[in-house]
Amino acid sequence: MMIDTPAVLIDRERLATNIVQMAAHAAAHGIALRPHVKTHKIPEIAQIQVDAGARGITCATIGESEVFSEAGFQDIFIAYPLYLSERAVERLNALPGKVSIGVDSLEMARAVVNLREDVKALIEVDSGHHRSGISPDDEVLAEIRDVLGERYVGVFTFPGHSYGPGNGEAAAEDELHTLTSSVERLGGGLTSGGSSPSAQFTDALDEIRPGVYVFNDAQQVASGACGEEQVSMMVLSTVISRNVADRRIILDAGSKILSTDKPAWIEGHGFVLGQPNARISALSEHHATIFWPADIELPQVGEQIKVVPNHACNVINLVDEVYVQNSAEKLEIWSVAARGKNS
Amino acid sequence: MMIDTPAVLIDRERLATNIVQMAAHAAAHGIALRPHVKTHKIPEIAQIQVDAGARGITCATIGESEVFSEAGFQDIFIAYPLYLSERAVERLNALPGKVSIGVDSLEMARAVVNLREDVKALIEVDSGHHRSGISPDDEVLAEIRDVLGERYVGVFTFPGHSYGPGNGEAAAEDELHTLTSSVERLGGGLTSGGSSPSAQFTDALDEIRPGVYVFNDAQQVASGACGEEQVSMMVLSTVISRNVADRRIILDAGSKILSTDKPAWIEGHGFVLGQPNARISALSEHHATIFWPADIELPQVGEQIKVVPNHACNVINLVDEVYVQNSAEKLEIWSVAARGKNS
């Protein structure tokens, strides 16, 4: 099969290994694994996760949930404090199977009454990422639980401050403390947490919802969550221009496939697989600039290069399909069924 | 019409004004306008541009060209040094109408022989952006022209260093010097340049290819290319969480619709239309964090907010359709026909 570059390439064996390892970690600690599918948006991958032991899936939006429930996944937690507009209520009520949603305000706890009776809710608490979620010592926490009544299932958090070199362990501690103190105050309930960099330090929650671990990426490598050999998703690109004097090459993979995610603690916009010193120093929509290391031969125009992107979740959302390569080098195409489902 | 947020909203009148103003500037200086459609990827908008006087369009990829030629636009310049693989040659040869491509190496100049006889080429020169393109004093320039023979049309550049506060005028000078000195050395040929921030300072080229001016964005405002009142594209979002003590609100528009484009010279990941001090300080895939200015009332959960994104081109590539609002507040939906056409 000829692949027009740039394109997303997945190493099927590495993907399977990543999925099995996280499932084994969760099982070893008696934690339910409910992987976040926003990373891959691909039903085939969610099926491998469920086959490896995942109990249900996590979605970010109603649109993602619609795609995955249509594909047969009918135990979905939308880990997001949805605004329950009339349209959102209609769409949620039309989802088949087990559905639960996130809530972080009294207003939305009251609006939950409009939802189908079997739709459950988890209260979002802030474990240190300071995004959405309620502080665990805020009095409104118990008020929300009371308003939710029978729908209340437990509390959840996203320890997003686990991202960054060596941040995983401390974030996992914050997460554990926040979730357990919250359910203590509320007299019980499920504790749901987990991010890919903190998951390896998590051993005492009821449920974790990591996402990126299926693919890994430059952020996960830099955060210490994995090694380069555990990266299962790459962007295949072609050298389209080179400046021999400057040792500069230009790839056809730009921000419209690599995305521009670049936290301050990461150098460059992705790196060349197997050549961590060959980093993308500038990114336009259809150009990536790399100053090629002096000790490696400068690639020719037309050479294909595999790039490890900074953040897999935003890359997957930029393509309609991915090329999956197995150990026999055979290619399969999977559709990114939930691409663009932002609402 | 009810819009599920986040969504891209276009102000039709501002769009039309932006298009007419650029066309008038080009016409006043006798410059042909060949707008870059990678910004909008929407045939309806290209038609407005052609109706206002554009002579042909510019595309970034073969895939974009396929979509636009299918939609009836048959004078296309692919302003990119394409790698002419067997597949690329097949696809280029299948494009109807007038087609020209970019070349910046001897290897590709030689490969052009495989293309249909009427496909023309422009040589890319580097006017200071240091991405692809040949230095205008490099001897290879004339060699490439000789190899291209009858296919040679002229030279082109992208003065990308025009981006940044007040950079437009100097970049326009670099561009003019680079293009005119190149065609002098080559004994003639078309000069094609143009970026949105430099276009207002361009008065002596044969052709310009600006793209972002149709929409404008936070980068264009910061670069001095336009005022906020000339921004015609916004991301409609909803407040989904708020922290009254911190005066922090969270919108449902994250990096999967706003993209994470953020050059160092821009503060934040976009700002609230009409409230330039309300800037997005952090962006996750489905969350935007804004610390709301003390002098403006804190929005409620459920309130809708219009965000001016940093870079329009990457936003449009994240949605399948846009909502177009005319002065009578009537909404129309346009499809982003060339979304995701990266190759």
Side-chain angles (χ1 to χ4, degrees), chain B residues 52-305:
Chain B
R55 303 188 213 162
I57 60 171
T58 304
C59 289
T61 66
I62 302 176
E64 266 181 14
S65 309
E66 287 166 342
V67 170
F68 278 87
S69 71
E70 176 78 19
F73 299 88
Q74 304 206 342
D75 179 356
I76 295 177
F77 171 37
I78 306 178
Y80 192 81
L82 292 171
Y83 177 65
L84 296 172
S85 67
E86 208 176 306
R87 274 272 297 169
V89 167
E90 261 174 47
R91 294 170 69 197
L92 283 166
N93 284 343
L95 285 175
K98 272 184 74 179
V99 175
S100 50
I101 65 164
V103 168
D104 87 341
S105 68
L106 263 176
E107 298 96 299
M108 286 306 108
R110 293 191 190 107
V112 164
V113 72
N114 299 314
L115 291 175
R116 219 176 57 199
E117 250 177 46
D118 62 324
V119 174
K120 303 293 184 188
L122 282 83
I123 305 174
E124 185 175 10
V125 288
D126 179 3
S127 57
H129 188 37
H130 306 320
R131 197 173 64 177
S132 48
I134 295 166
S135 167
D137 50 19
D138 191 324
E139 287 176 6
V140 82
L141 191 65
E143 290 180 59
I144 292 176
R145 191 267 327 269
D146 292 345
V147 172
L148 289 174
E150 291 293 305
R151 296 182 190 257
Y152 169 77
V153 172
V155 295
F156 78 105
T157 195
F158 173 62
H161 55 313
S162 62
Y163 280 74
N167 288 3
E169 190 163 6
E173 278 171 30
D174 291 342
E175 171 186 58
L176 179 64
H177 173 75
T178 302
L179 291 173
T180 52
S181 68
S182 298
V183 291
E184 267 167 35
R185 284 192 57 189
L186 297 175
L190 183 93
T191 54
S192 173
S195 68
S196 292
S198 62
Q200 62 184 301
F201 306 104
T202 302
D203 52 13
L205 300 178
D206 295 323
E207 173 183 281
I208 52 172
R209 313 179 317 276
V212 194
Y213 74 95
V214 294
F215 294 144
N216 289 314
D217 53 26
Q219 280 194 150
Q220 298 298 323
V221 174
S223 290
C226 68
E228 192 191 315
E229 71 290 352
Q230 289 165 284
V231 173
S232 72
M233 181 236 249
M234 286 81 62
V235 172
L236 188 69
S237 63
T238 301
V239 177
I240 53 112
S241 179
R242 61 180 212 156
N243 182 309
V244 179
D246 288 356
R247 293 192 62 80
R248 184 175 79 214
I249 63 163
I250 309 290
L251 306 179
D252 61 1
S255 62
K256 278 180 173 167
I257 189 158
L258 288 170
S259 94
T260 35
D261 267 35
K262 190 192 165 301
W265 42 271
I266 276 208
E267 197 198 325
H269 294 274
F271 64 85
V272 176
L273 188 75
Q275 305 287 3
N277 293 326
R279 289 193 178 255
I280 295 172
S281 59
L283 204 57
S284 312
E285 287 159 60
H286 299 278
H287 304 71
T289 303
I290 301 180
F291 288 91
W292 202 251
D295 54 336
I296 320 170
E297 200 184 338
L298 195 68
Q300 299 290 330
V301 168
E303 251 180 70
Q304 291 198 336
I305 304 265

Side-chain angles (χ1 to χ4, degrees), chain A residues 4-5 38 80 87 104 131 241 248 252 255-256 260-261 284-286 302 314 320 339 342-343, chain B residues 4-5 38 80 83 87 104 131 241 248 252 255-256 260-261 284-286 314 320 339 342-343:
Chain A
D4 289 329
T5 65
K38 74 180 165 69
Y80 193 81
R87 274 272 295 168
D104 86 342
R131 197 173 65 177
S241 180
R248 184 175 80 215
D252 61 1
S255 61
K256 278 180 173 167
T260 35
D261 268 36
S284 311
E285 287 159 61
H286 300 277
N314 276 323
D320 291 311
R339 184 204 51 73
N342 277 322
S343 61
Chain B
D4 289 329
T5 65
K38 74 179 166 71
Y80 192 81
Y83 177 65
R87 274 272 297 169
D104 87 341
R131 197 173 64 177
S241 179
R248 184 175 79 214
D252 61 1
S255 62
K256 278 180 173 167
T260 35
D261 267 35
S284 312
E285 287 159 60
H286 299 278
N314 277 324
D320 291 310
R339 183 204 51 73
N342 277 322
S343 61

Side-chain angles (χ1 to χ4, degrees), chain A residues 69-123:
Chain A
S69 70
E70 176 78 20
F73 299 88
Q74 304 206 341
D75 178 358
I76 295 177
F77 170 38
I78 306 177
Y80 193 81
L82 293 170
Y83 177 65
L84 296 172
S85 67
E86 209 175 305
R87 274 272 295 168
V89 167
E90 261 173 47
R91 293 171 70 198
L92 283 167
N93 285 342
L95 285 175
K98 271 184 74 177
V99 176
S100 50
I101 65 164
V103 167
D104 86 342
S105 69
L106 262 176
E107 298 95 300
M108 286 305 109
R110 291 189 191 110
V112 163
V113 73
N114 299 315
L115 292 174
R116 217 175 60 198
E117 249 178 47
D118 61 325
V119 174
K120 304 292 185 186
L122 282 83
I123 305 174

Side-chain angles (χ1 to χ4, degrees), chain B residues 8-78:
Chain B
V8 170
L9 200 62
I10 289 172
D11 182 317
R12 204 185 195 299
E13 271 186 66
R14 288 183 176 196
L15 174 76
T17 303
N18 292 341
I19 290 173
V20 165
Q21 282 178 347
M22 185 63 81
H25 168 78
H29 298 283
I31 301 171
L33 177 60
R34 184 185 283 280
H36 212 312
V37 301
K38 74 179 166 71
T39 297
H40 55 72
K41 293 174 174 276
I42 295 174
E44 284 87 342
I45 297 182
Q47 193 57 55
I48 303 175
Q49 292 175 304
V50 167
D51 291 346
R55 303 188 213 162
I57 60 171
T58 304
C59 289
T61 66
I62 302 176
E64 266 181 14
S65 309
E66 287 166 342
V67 170
F68 278 87
S69 71
E70 176 78 19
F73 299 88
Q74 304 206 342
D75 179 356
I76 295 177
F77 171 37
I78 306 178

